[in-house]
Amino acid sequence: MIYITFLNIAIFQGIVLGFIILKSPLFNSTSNKYLASAIFTLSILLLNLVFEIGEAYNSFPFLRFIDDVEWAFLLPAFIFFFIVNKVDHSIKEKKILLLLFFPFLYSAILNIIYDLDVVAGFYKIPDSGIAIIDTLSQIELFLAFTFIPSLLLYSFSFIKYSEDIHEKRWLLILWSIVSTLLFLWVAVLFIAIFFQYDVSFTMKLLALFGTFLIHWTTYVGIFKYKLAVDKDGIHNFLNKDLAVSYSNVEIDAIHIKEENKESITPDNLYFQKLEFLCKDQHIYTDSTLSREKIAEELGISAGYVSQIVNTITGDNFANYINQYRIEAVKEMISNSEYENYNLLTMGLESGFTSKTTFYKAFKKATGQTPNEYRNSKK
């Protein structure tokens, strides 16, 4: 059945994505652990739907212990903790927030007690006990109609504390999608209970498309946001932390003997200006940088640029520029503030045009891949 196949793909996608977020050092943070937990919760909800459609409960009745617990109570709680940790709000430290998991625990305990009778047959609940469980089930239903919408709305109020425009946009999109799906789920549940409509088909569509949408948004959002943050941080590093001023005066005021201006020695005026442009202006971060651009900047021919670089450094122009790029990446790798930054982003922001050219040049210069170099510095 195609529908079951789509569900299984969504479950697999959620589990893989959750583990990537939990295990990858790129996303190692408290907030992302809650996001991964939310994704795992969605996968469990889908898995229960697969069991129901496949009538697995008939063959394996103990699976009812998983199905009867209302996992939907966990989703708004995990999203709330994800948001407050992401914006780093002080409320995240309050122990009382653990009560947000109470509805889920309430549902779990209530349904396990009931299933130990109906499913497992460990004991027989008397009629008076069944009446109490029915009453407690009404409370569980009330919590579904009130707790989930209220916590989602409360979560929204914390997004404004984000100071990063990329982060705020990402949080708003994720919150909007999760909230829309959960509000629809509550509305459909309300219709099913109080109007006795068959909403099974609607629930299936909501589960399938909603989960795929959340997984897709999470995947795109977390990776794109991560890369955006990396780019900002690397840009600041390249333009501030690595800024080594060659001179406190204008390049034209460098005191060089007139007869040395055209000589191809380390004190050659044009070579010193090239060094100035690389060390102070970080011109190497331009991925389209060429001999022609440098020649235009220096006011000489492209051939003379090559002649200067080859004679003084003993290397060609491309390797000369790449060495600055590699040194920039090595500086970032050695800086603990950048230990979780994406290596490819470092390379691209330093001026390399692709992963292949970056890794090839880095290995040629250091004898190690960027990953191997990073691991050797830990």
Side-chain angles (χ1 to χ4, degrees):
M1 185 177 181
I2 297 178
Y3 181 77
I4 294 292
T5 301
F6 281 140
L7 286 178
N8 287 327
I9 292 174
I11 294 169
F12 177 76
Q13 180 188 25
I15 293 173
V16 171
L17 181 57
F19 273 113
I20 288 175
I21 295 173
L22 284 177
K23 297 299 182 180
S24 174
L26 293 177
F27 311 109
N28 184 22
S29 68
T30 301
S31 60
N32 284 341
K33 289 178 181 177
Y34 285 114
L35 182 60
S37 299
I39 295 172
F40 285 135
T41 300
L42 281 169
S43 297
I44 292 174
L45 287 168
L46 269 191
L47 187 61
N48 286 335
L49 185 56
V50 169
F51 288 158
E52 181 179 342
I53 295 173
E55 299 181 348
Y57 300 121
N58 295 333
S59 303
F60 306 97
F62 278 92
L63 292 175
R64 288 285 182 189
F65 281 91
I66 300 175
D67 179 58
D68 290 341
V69 174
E70 194 51 80
W71 296 91
F73 282 129
L74 282 179
L75 198 51
F78 285 139
I79 293 299
F80 171 81
F81 280 107
F82 167 67
I83 291 175
V84 296
N85 277 275
K86 198 68 177 174
V87 303
D88 198 25
H89 195 279
S90 58
I91 196 174
K92 67 181 183 180
E93 305 294 341
K94 294 186 177 181
K95 300 297 184 183
I96 195 172
L97 291 180
L98 293 175
L99 290 176
L100 294 178
F101 293 107
F102 170 77
F104 171 75
L105 292 175
Y106 178 89
S107 172
I109 294 172
L110 177 63
N111 286 287
I112 288 174
I113 290 174
Y114 181 75
D115 286 343
L116 285 174
D117 171 13
V118 178
V119 177
F122 284 178
Y123 48 68
K124 180 65 177 177
I125 300 176
D127 292 341
S128 57
I130 294 295
I132 294 174
I133 288 178
D134 288 341
T135 301
L136 295 177
S137 296
Q138 295 302 311
I139 297 175
E140 179 188 20
L141 193 60
F142 175 78
L143 286 173
F145 293 142
T146 57
F147 170 78
I148 293 176
S150 298
L151 186 54
L152 288 171
L153 293 174
Y154 187 46
S155 301
F156 177 77
S157 66
F158 289 94
I159 297 179
K160 64 183 180 184
Y161 293 103
S162 174
E163 298 178 354
D164 185 284
I165 187 170
H166 298 295
E167 180 181 79
K168 183 175 290 186
R169 185 183 299 117
W170 150 231
L171 291 176
L172 279 171
I173 293 173
L174 182 65
W175 179 89
S176 298
I177 292 174
V178 173
S179 297
T180 299
L181 290 171
L182 285 176
F183 273 115
L184 287 174
W185 178 80
V186 170
V188 172
L189 185 64
F190 182 87
I191 293 172
I193 293 174
F194 292 99
F195 295 93
Q196 302 299 310
Y197 287 154
D198 182 7
V199 296
S200 58
F201 180 74
T202 305
M203 282 291 194
K204 289 177 182 178
L205 286 180
L206 193 61
L208 179 60
F209 294 108
T211 304
F212 268 116
L213 190 57
I214 292 175
H215 287 172
W216 177 85
T217 305
T218 303
Y219 176 83
V220 173
I222 193 167
F223 278 90
K224 282 193 173 181
Y225 170 68
K226 172 63 181 172
L227 293 181
V229 171
D230 282 3
K231 286 183 178 180
D232 290 341
I234 291 169
H235 177 78
N236 292 334
F237 185 87
L238 291 172
N239 289 278
K240 294 179 182 178
D241 297 342
L242 280 180
V244 180
S245 179
Y246 178 76
S247 174
N248 293 324
V249 295
E250 293 295 327
I251 189 66
D252 293 336
I254 295 177
H255 300 295
I256 299 178
K257 294 180 180 180
E258 189 71 24
E259 61 269 22
N260 288 334
K261 287 187 177 181
E262 297 299 327
S263 61
I264 304 179
T265 58
D267 62 353
N268 178 278
L269 173 63
Y270 300 113
F271 182 71
Q272 290 192 32
K273 187 172 182 179
L274 176 57
E275 289 275 272
F276 174 81
L277 290 172
C278 289
K279 292 179 179 178
D280 190 70
Q281 301 300 315
H282 304 281
I283 196 171
Y284 58 84
T285 59
D286 178 4
S287 61
T288 65
L289 188 65
S290 63
R291 289 185 310 156
E292 287 70 25
K293 280 191 175 183
I294 292 292
E296 184 179 352
E297 184 72 27
L298 298 179
I300 58 178
S301 69
Y304 190 46
V305 170
S306 293
Q307 188 179 358
I308 291 173
V309 173
N310 291 344
T311 301
I312 297 176
T313 69
D315 211 340
N316 61 41
F317 175 78
N319 290 338
Y320 169 76
I321 295 298
N322 281 343
Q323 191 58 43
Y324 275 104
R325 294 166 175 165
I326 291 166
E327 289 301 318
V329 173
K330 287 166 65 178
E331 286 284 340
M332 282 182 277
I333 290 175
S334 300
N335 190 324
S336 59
E337 293 183 10
Y338 295 83
E339 62 182 354
N340 289 328
Y341 276 59
N342 185 281
L343 288 171
L344 179 57
T345 306
M346 289 183 185
L348 296 179
E349 289 298 300
S350 296
F352 288 103
T353 55
S354 68
K355 179 179 179 179
T356 301
T357 56
F358 168 43
Y359 273 58
K360 184 177 180 180
F362 194 94
K363 178 137 190 202
K364 180 180 179 182
T366 66
Q368 297 175 301
T369 66
N371 286 307
E372 290 170 345
Y373 185 84
R374 168 178 271 176
N375 291 332
S376 71
K377 294 298 179 181
K378 289 183 179 179

